[in-house]
Each structure stands twice: as C-alpha cells, then as structure tokens.
Amino acid sequence: MGIFEYAPAPESRAIANLKDHYRPFINGEFVDGSGEPLKTINPATEEVLAEVGTASVSDVDTAVKAARKAYNTVWSKMPGSERAKYLFRIARLIQERSRELAVLESLDNGKPIKESRDSDVPTAAAHFFYHAGWADKLDYAGYGPNPRPLGVAGQIIPWNFPLLMLAWKIAPALATGNTVVLKPAETTPLTALVFAEICQQAELPPGVVNILPGAGDIGASLVEHSDVDKIAFTGSTDVGKLIQRQVAGTAKKLTLELGGKAANVVFDDAPLDQAIEGIVNGIFFNQGHVCCAGSRLLVQESVAAEVLEKLQYRVSTLRIGDPLDKNTDIGAINSAEQLAKIQGLVESGDAEGAERWTSPCPVPDRGFFFAPTVFANVQQSMRIAREEIFGPVLSVLTFRTPEEAVAKANNTPYGLSAGIWTEKGSRILWMANQLRAGVVWANTFNRFDPAAPFGGYQESGFGREGGRTGLEAYLNV
Ligand code: NDP
C-alpha cells in the first residue's frame, strides 16, 4: 500500500505573536537583565526568532530577594483556598492562550505543532488545574496536619518540553505555598516568558514567580544562592551530578529528574500492530528528545523479524519536516549541538557493528533534522545501547525468556521508565515488579497524567513529580 500524499497544512506563525525582544521577569515586572542578550533561533530554519535579555548573577540575587519577600509577606500566609484561585486562573489563561503557546513552542523548540497543541500545552494546563485542587487540601495529603512549604524554590528546566517542564515545577511549588525563581533552557526561553505574562494577567502577587533566561552559569548561581531552600532540576545526568555536589552539605532540599535509557519490552504474545504504534510513539515522539523515551526495544526472538519488518514499514510512513505543518510527525532537532551528538552516537553504532536502517523519507535541507533511524543486532555493550541518544534513534535487542528480558532491561545505569507488551496480566505484574524503573507502562507508552508521580532510580535521579507523592518535594515533611 502506498503512503498518502498530504497537501501542506501549516499553522500560521502570526498566532505566536512573536516579539523582537523578550526580557527577564522579576518581582512581577519585565526588566532589563544585566546579562549578555541571547538570540533564540528556529531550529527548523536556523533564522533568529527574537533577542532575549538574560539575567546576571546580581539579577539572580534580586530575583531570590523578591521571591523571599513574596514568600514571607504574602504567599506562605495566604490560605490555600486563595492560592488555589490563582492556580485555577493560570490554568484557564494557559487554555485561553493555548494556540499562541503551541505555535510559539513549535517555533522555538522545533517540535511538531500537533504535539505542542495536543500534548504539551493541554498537559501544562492540566498540571495547574490538578495542583489548584490540592492547594486547600494539603491537610489531607497524608503528611500530617498543616504541612509547611519550604520557602524559595530554584528551578532549572531543559529544552525538550519547555512549557510543560515549567508547569511540572511551578504548579506544585505554588500550590504548596512556595515561591519560585525559574531558569528556562538557553535555546527555548520564549514560552516561559509568555507564561510570565500569564502570571501578570492572573494578577499573581509580585515576586511569587520569577523567570530568569540565561545560560548554565545562571542555573549554577541559583543553585549556589544561600537564600534558596530547594532546588528542582530536570536535565542531563552530568549537570545533575554537578548540582548534587554543589548542594551537598547545605540545608537545601533537592530533586533531580535526569536522563534515561528505557527498555520497551515486546513479548511474542503481544498484539503486535498495537505494539508497533507504542514503539513508534515511545521513541519518535518529540524527535526522541524525551528522558523516558523507549530507546531500547527488547523484542522476543521468535517475533523479532516480524516486528522489525512491521516497524520499518510504519516508520517509513512518518513525515519529517516543518514543525508548524499539522501533518508533520517528526520536527526539528532542537540545536546544532544536539544534532551533532546524535550523529556522533549513530556513527558509533555503525563502527561497533550494529545494523543501521534509516527511513527513506525526504529530509529538509535547511534546519536541524535527523531521519528516523532503527539499529538492529545491537549488543548490550554498544554505546547506542548504553548512552542516552536523545534523538529519533531506536536500538533493537532480542531476548528469549522473561528472565533474560528483565536482566537486559535492568542492565543500565538509568532507571526512569519501561514498557511491557504482552496479553498476560500476570506477566505484566511480574515484570513491573522486577524492573528497576520509576514508571512502567503496560501495553501503552508515554502516557502522562498530573495525578501520576514521575521520577527515576539510580542515574535517572530522585524525587517524584506529580500526584500526591510529588507534593512532598515542596513540603517540609
Ligand atoms: P543540561 O543538563 O546542560 O541542561 C538542562 C538545564 O540546566 C538548562 O537550563 C541548562 O542551561 C542548565 N544548566 C547547564 N549547566 C548548569 C549548571 N552547571 N548548573 C545549573 N544549571 C545548569 O542539558 P543539555 O541541554 O546540555 O543537554 C545535554 C544532554 O542532556 C542531552 O543530549 C540529553 O541526553 C540530556 N538531557 C536530558 C533531559 C531530560 O529530560 N532528562 C533534558 C535535556 C537534556 P542552558 O540551557 O543554558 O545550558
């Protein structure tokens, strides 16, 4: 069967209300940061989208002071039922401005509009709705009566889900009565600064949320600041380790959500067509820039050839190109650096003897793109089986018995997520108990809900985000 031809269906870029210049947000106002301005680009075209003012170390201090004052004088004293009203307002404003946020996110990050529109932005709103519901019920969260907030939270987020990671961090912090200084990633600061406008629209008291665009050194000085009570970080394991060292010996609380190398395990009794969709979603969603991506496919030997054939057919139907086109399945890689990292790891796969198959789909000649790629005959010792590629590259390994599947799935320094595909409920429960992963999906993959805690083991970090358990990260309990 041939692949359908689709006419272009681009979303209008005008919806993003792109400005020439964006500024840091401190104490309820947009201010001229005293850092060196950065230019954020559209990774699909390499054109400059906007200039963004950045924070300096002294701006970090000003923002922390504003957050401390807001914490002491307003936010920690406000009844939970009042805080909830602000969170509900923010959630509704995210919904109201959802098209603008979705287009802006796709422009700045490179992700397909259908993902920012149907996944990132609605899930960000859902996190605020969910946590608004907790704000006046903290006494019943299981942490004893009147659980207290921690104070000022320093939050550092990556570029793969800019608005969604902001929501994961800010919503629980505010619901529990903390104030926030957040640093977005250098390559994707725009939706965080529109979120700052939303805070103004919601009439959030000044200083409760502060947003500081800047490079890694601004993240580091936020971590170092002596008046910050809690650090929440999502990003690479290397930077996570650095932060843990920095925080050691201080009274700061820390949660780290780091990398992953998830096993997606397919047994021979699995509904294979359904599994193929889950495998594709697991690794090609968001160009594979997903910490919990199902980047290692473990498939039972008896169905390996069939799965590989079906998978190649399905992957060859994915459309790669303009992130703003509603038919696009795979958008742009977020930066030239990330593209070079993916290329380097793919070359190591070739050199170590894995069998590479790359989709023959047309790839745009401008911008940072990488065609979906599947490696067969992967051995556990290869770099592509051990390191986080963070791109649209799948490594396929095989197994014979459930015990072998567990041993291989757990043979990783990470432990963030895993998937199991089988029709046997008992096997799902047995496997889920054996797998050292914070999240285990059964006959599905990449499902997110604000009520479900998310987080890892080992080098994937510690602490949970979301759900009742996630509140603990922001409470003095
Ligand atoms: P980083 O961990 O460097 O970036 C995450 C955030 O931390 C960014 O806001 C970054 O700022 C900031 N940061 C950088 N250095 C420091 C520091 N010393 N102290 C405090 N904050 C700091 O990830 P990269 O963007 O460099 O990506 C590298 C690799 O990490 C990827 O290839 C991928 O494998 C993995 N990764 C994993 C993610 C996950 O969700 N688990 C998310 C992102 C990346 P700035 O943007 O200015 O560098």
Side-chain angles (χ1 to χ4, degrees):
M1 195 177 79
I3 299 167
F4 288 110
E5 290 292 329
Y6 284 79
E11 184 60 284
S12 165
R13 164 192 168 126
I15 297 166
N17 285 330
L18 202 58
K19 292 182 231 149
D20 292 338
H21 194 80
Y22 290 79
R23 294 190 295 167
F25 183 68
I26 300 179
N27 203 23
E29 286 179 0
F30 290 97
V31 299
D32 289 324
S34 42
E36 200 53 39
L38 63 86
K39 288 186 168 50
T40 187
I41 64 163
N42 177 349
T45 60
E46 299 172 57
E47 65 176 322
V48 173
L49 289 171
E51 190 180 80
V52 180
T54 69
S56 65
V57 174
S58 73
D59 296 323
V60 173
D61 187 51
T62 312
V64 172
K65 285 198 170 99
R68 172 63 60 195
K69 185 163 171 229
Y71 177 78
N72 287 340
T73 59
V74 189
W75 201 246
S76 67
K77 298 203 157 51
M78 192 182 277
S81 55
E82 288 301 306
R83 286 201 307 273
K85 290 181 193 169
Y86 288 100
L87 278 113
F88 277 123
R89 257 181 238 166
I90 290 171
R92 284 194 298 265
L93 285 160
I94 292 175
Q95 287 183 322
E96 247 174 64
R97 297 181 68 169
S98 60
R99 276 188 82 191
E100 174 192 356
L101 286 164
V103 175
L104 192 62
E105 196 77 307
S106 283
L107 281 172
D108 204 19
N109 168 281
K111 64 177 70 201
I113 185 71
K114 71 175 177 192
E115 290 179 6
S116 43
R117 179 196 62 194
D118 298 343
S119 177
D120 294 48
V121 178
T123 317
H127 270 266
F128 280 95
F129 277 120
Y130 174 79
H131 286 96
W134 269 121
D136 62 348
K137 301 175 196 69
L138 297 174
D139 280 352
Y140 312 101
Y143 301 110
N146 194 22
R148 301 301 304 151
L150 296 171
V152 175
Q155 307 183 319
I156 300 163
I157 56 170
W159 44 262
N160 53 342
F161 292 95
L163 183 70
L164 185 57
M165 287 303 106
L166 171 149
W168 279 31
K169 299 265 178 290
I170 293 187
L174 297 196
T176 45
N178 302 272
T179 57
V180 161
V181 179
L182 176 134
K183 190 200 93 66
E186 215 176 329
T187 57
T188 53
L190 299 186
T191 47
L193 295 167
V194 171
F195 178 83
E197 289 176 19
I198 287 176
C199 292
Q200 283 185 327
Q201 272 180 288
E203 296 178 8
L204 193 69
V208 173
V209 167
N210 304 273
I211 312 262
L212 302 183
D217 59 327
I218 293 307
S221 71
L222 186 56
V223 174
E224 251 163 41
H225 198 290
S226 58
D227 204 27
V228 168
D229 301 292
K230 193 238 151 68
I231 293 294
F233 172 79
T234 296
S236 62
T237 296
D238 287 347
V239 173
K241 285 180 181 173
L242 265 178
I243 291 178
Q244 195 171 10
R245 272 187 223 114
Q246 252 180 298
V247 164
T250 73
K252 288 185 182 101
K253 279 221 183 183
L254 178 64
T255 42
L256 297 175
E257 202 269 88
L258 310 174
K261 193 73 191 175
N264 204 358
V265 185
V266 178
F267 286 93
D268 59 4
D269 63 347
L272 290 188
D273 289 330
Q274 193 186 327
I276 295 293
E277 292 308 310
I279 297 164
V280 168
N281 172 280
I283 185 63
F284 299 116
F285 175 65
N286 202 35
Q287 295 75 244
H289 301 328
V290 184
C291 45
C292 54
S295 52
R296 282 184 301 150
L297 175 65
L298 298 188
V299 56
Q300 199 152 16
E301 208 173 84
S302 47
V303 289
E306 188 184 351
V307 166
L308 207 59
E309 191 188 318
K310 281 177 184 279
L311 184 63
Q312 290 180 352
Y313 172 73
R314 179 66 182 93
V315 175
S316 64
T317 67
L318 298 176
R319 284 174 296 270
I320 181 168
D322 179 5
L324 287 193
D325 192 314
K326 291 166 203 152
N327 294 321
T328 293
D329 298 303
I330 299 192
I333 301 302
N334 181 247
S335 64
E337 293 73 34
Q338 188 59 28
L339 182 58
K341 183 184 163 190
I342 295 168
Q343 280 160 342
L345 275 159
V346 163
E347 280 160 22
S348 82
D350 293 337
E352 289 185 305
E355 246 172 63
R356 188 209 304 200
W357 174 87
T358 296
S359 169
C361 61
V363 176
D365 40 5
R366 205 158 64 115
F368 314 132
F369 287 92
F370 196 85
T373 294
V374 177
F375 274 106
N377 281 339
V378 176
Q379 303 304 317
Q380 296 183 81
S381 56
M382 294 178 181
R383 286 183 66 200
I384 54 169
R386 308 203 63 77
E387 295 180 30
E388 187 176 43
I389 302 176
F390 226 60
V393 181
L394 179 66
S395 301
V396 184
L397 299 91
T398 58
F399 68 88
R400 289 185 183 166
T401 63
E403 289 74 16
E404 188 185 347
V406 168
K408 285 187 167 166
N410 286 341
N411 183 8
T412 169
Y414 295 109
L416 194 53
S417 67
I420 307 166
W421 297 83
T422 171
E423 66 166 18
K424 290 190 184 62
S426 56
R427 182 178 278 164
I428 290 170
L429 295 175
W430 181 82
M431 284 285 291
N433 268 327
Q434 313 287 318
L435 293 173
R436 290 276 293 155
V439 182
V440 180
W441 286 292
N443 293 327
T444 188
F445 209 91
N446 272 345
R447 292 265 169 183
F448 301 100
D449 190 292
F454 184 91
Y457 287 106
Q458 306 188 104
E459 295 207 358
S460 291
F462 48 80
R464 295 292 177 264
E465 295 185 298
R468 185 193 71 78
T469 321
L471 299 171
E472 190 180 333
Y474 290 95
L475 290 172
N476 193 4
V477 290

